[in-house]
Amino acid sequence: MRTDPPRTRILHLGRQAARWRPRNNRQIWLIVSSLVLVVCVEAMVIPAKRDGLACAVTVPIGMGLLVTGHRRQRRERAALAARATESRDGIPAEVVGLVAAGQKIRAIKRYRELTGVELTEAKVIVDSL
Protein backbone atom coordinates (compact mmCIF):
# COMPACT_ATOMS: atom_id res chain seq x y z
CA MET A 1 0.00 0.00 0.00
CA ARG A 2 1.41 3.36 -1.09
CA THR A 3 0.99 6.42 1.14
CA ASP A 4 1.49 9.97 -0.02
CA PRO A 5 3.91 12.18 1.88
CA PRO A 6 2.24 14.55 4.38
CA ARG A 7 2.85 17.61 2.21
CA THR A 8 0.97 16.02 -0.72
CA ARG A 9 -1.97 15.15 1.55
CA ILE A 10 -2.07 18.69 2.96
CA LEU A 11 -2.04 20.20 -0.54
CA HIS A 12 -4.85 17.85 -1.61
CA LEU A 13 -6.93 18.80 1.45
CA GLY A 14 -6.25 22.47 0.76
CA ARG A 15 -7.56 22.14 -2.80
CA GLN A 16 -10.69 20.40 -1.54
CA ALA A 17 -11.26 23.09 1.09
CA ALA A 18 -10.89 25.84 -1.53
CA ARG A 19 -13.83 24.37 -3.48
CA TRP A 20 -16.02 23.95 -0.39
CA ARG A 21 -18.69 26.59 0.30
CA PRO A 22 -20.25 27.04 3.74
CA ARG A 23 -23.99 26.39 3.77
CA ASN A 24 -24.96 28.28 6.91
CA ASN A 25 -23.72 30.83 9.42
CA ARG A 26 -22.56 28.15 11.86
CA GLN A 27 -20.10 26.82 9.29
CA ILE A 28 -18.88 30.34 8.55
CA TRP A 29 -18.18 31.00 12.22
CA LEU A 30 -16.46 27.61 12.54
CA ILE A 31 -14.06 28.72 9.80
CA VAL A 32 -13.56 32.13 11.42
CA SER A 33 -12.85 30.64 14.84
CA SER A 34 -10.41 28.16 13.28
CA LEU A 35 -8.53 30.99 11.57
CA VAL A 36 -8.41 33.01 14.79
CA LEU A 37 -7.13 29.96 16.68
CA VAL A 38 -4.38 29.37 14.11
CA VAL A 39 -3.30 33.01 14.25
CA CYS A 40 -3.20 32.99 18.06
CA VAL A 41 -1.18 29.77 18.20
CA GLU A 42 1.21 31.17 15.61
CA ALA A 43 1.66 34.31 17.73
CA MET A 44 2.38 32.18 20.80
CA VAL A 45 5.02 30.13 18.98
CA ILE A 46 6.64 32.95 16.98
CA PRO A 47 7.17 36.05 19.15
CA ALA A 48 7.74 38.28 16.10
CA LYS A 49 4.13 37.64 15.02
CA ARG A 50 2.67 39.14 18.22
CA ASP A 51 2.81 42.70 16.94
CA GLY A 52 0.27 42.01 14.19
CA LEU A 53 -1.99 39.79 16.31
CA ALA A 54 -4.79 42.34 16.75
CA CYS A 55 -5.05 42.95 13.01
CA ALA A 56 -4.73 39.26 12.16
CA VAL A 57 -7.63 38.43 14.50
CA THR A 58 -9.96 41.27 13.55
CA VAL A 59 -9.82 40.61 9.79
CA PRO A 60 -11.41 37.12 9.89
CA ILE A 61 -13.96 38.26 12.46
CA GLY A 62 -14.89 41.28 10.33
CA MET A 63 -15.23 39.12 7.24
CA GLY A 64 -17.44 36.68 9.17
CA LEU A 65 -19.69 39.53 10.29
CA LEU A 66 -19.86 40.88 6.74
CA VAL A 67 -20.74 37.52 5.17
CA THR A 68 -23.33 36.52 7.74
CA GLY A 69 -24.95 39.97 7.51
CA HIS A 70 -25.30 39.66 3.73
CA ARG A 71 -26.77 36.18 4.10
CA ARG A 72 -29.34 37.44 6.62
CA GLN A 73 -30.35 40.33 4.35
CA ARG A 74 -30.70 37.98 1.39
CA ARG A 75 -32.93 35.64 3.45
CA GLU A 76 -35.08 38.56 4.60
CA ARG A 77 -35.50 39.83 1.02
CA ALA A 78 -36.41 36.35 -0.20
CA ALA A 79 -39.03 36.00 2.55
CA LEU A 80 -40.47 39.42 1.71
CA ALA A 81 -40.54 38.59 -2.00
CA ALA A 82 -42.36 35.35 -1.26
CA ARG A 83 -45.06 37.28 0.61
CA ALA A 84 -45.26 39.88 -2.16
CA THR A 85 -46.83 37.67 -4.79
CA GLU A 86 -50.26 39.21 -4.40
CA SER A 87 -51.33 42.81 -4.01
CA ARG A 88 -51.93 44.20 -0.54
CA ASP A 89 -54.34 46.95 0.36
CA GLY A 90 -54.89 47.85 -3.28
CA ILE A 91 -51.15 48.19 -3.96
CA PRO A 92 -50.12 46.38 -7.15
CA ALA A 93 -48.04 43.23 -6.68
CA GLU A 94 -45.40 44.65 -9.04
CA VAL A 95 -44.78 47.56 -6.65
CA VAL A 96 -44.64 45.26 -3.63
CA GLY A 97 -42.15 43.06 -5.49
CA LEU A 98 -39.91 46.04 -6.24
CA VAL A 99 -39.92 47.00 -2.55
CA ALA A 100 -39.10 43.40 -1.62
CA ALA A 101 -36.14 43.51 -4.01
CA GLY A 102 -34.84 46.64 -2.28
CA GLN A 103 -35.67 49.00 -5.15
CA LYS A 104 -37.75 51.64 -3.37
CA ILE A 105 -37.19 54.44 -5.87
CA ARG A 106 -38.32 52.28 -8.79
CA ALA A 107 -41.30 51.15 -6.69
CA ILE A 108 -42.30 54.77 -6.04
CA LYS A 109 -42.00 55.64 -9.74
CA ARG A 110 -43.97 52.59 -10.79
CA TYR A 111 -46.70 53.26 -8.21
CA ARG A 112 -47.02 56.82 -9.52
CA GLU A 113 -47.26 55.54 -13.10
CA LEU A 114 -49.96 53.03 -12.22
CA THR A 115 -52.07 55.22 -9.93
CA GLY A 116 -51.25 58.82 -10.88
CA VAL A 117 -50.74 59.97 -7.27
CA GLU A 118 -48.32 62.68 -6.12
CA LEU A 119 -44.70 61.91 -5.21
CA THR A 120 -45.13 62.44 -1.45
CA GLU A 121 -48.18 60.20 -1.28
CA ALA A 122 -46.45 57.47 -3.29
CA LYS A 123 -43.39 57.69 -1.03
CA VAL A 124 -45.53 57.34 2.12
CA ILE A 125 -47.31 54.30 0.71
CA VAL A 126 -44.11 52.59 -0.44
CA ASP A 127 -42.42 53.35 2.90
CA SER A 128 -45.34 51.71 4.70
CA LEU A 129 -44.56 48.46 2.95
Side-chain angles (χ1 to χ4, degrees):
M1 182 173 139
R2 183 179 149 253
T3 60
D4 293 331
R7 181 181 170 147
T8 305
R9 283 183 285 182
I10 290 171
L11 289 173
H12 177 71
L13 289 173
R15 275 189 236 108
Q16 284 180 331
R19 281 185 255 128
W20 177 73
R21 298 289 182 260
R23 292 191 178 108
N24 55 34
N25 289 346
R26 180 180 291 158
Q27 291 177 346
I28 290 171
W29 286 108
L30 179 64
I31 293 168
V32 168
S33 60
S34 300
L35 290 172
V36 169
L37 180 66
V38 166
V39 168
C40 291
V41 168
E42 183 182 43
M44 286 173 40
V45 174
I46 305 169
K49 297 279 187 172
R50 292 182 187 153
D51 292 338
L53 181 63
C55 181
V57 168
T58 55
V59 168
I61 292 173
M63 292 301 291
L65 289 171
L66 184 71
V67 170
T68 54
H70 284 302
R71 285 175 166 241
R72 186 185 72 243
Q73 287 175 353
R74 195 176 326 131
R75 266 197 319 268
E76 289 171 357
R77 282 191 193 129
L80 186 58
R83 290 191 307 248
T85 54
E86 28 181 271
S87 63
R88 295 189 324 205
D89 302 327
I91 301 171
E94 181 182 354
V95 174
V96 178
L98 286 170
V99 172
Q103 299 176 356
K104 285 180 121 179
I105 294 173
R106 287 185 62 195
I108 292 169
K109 287 180 181 178
R110 187 67 183 141
Y111 187 73
R112 288 186 68 202
E113 289 171 2
L114 294 173
T115 60
V117 298
E118 293 294 322
L119 176 64
T120 53
E121 184 180 348
K123 185 178 180 322
V124 168
I125 290 172
V126 168
D127 285 341
S128 70
L129 297 175

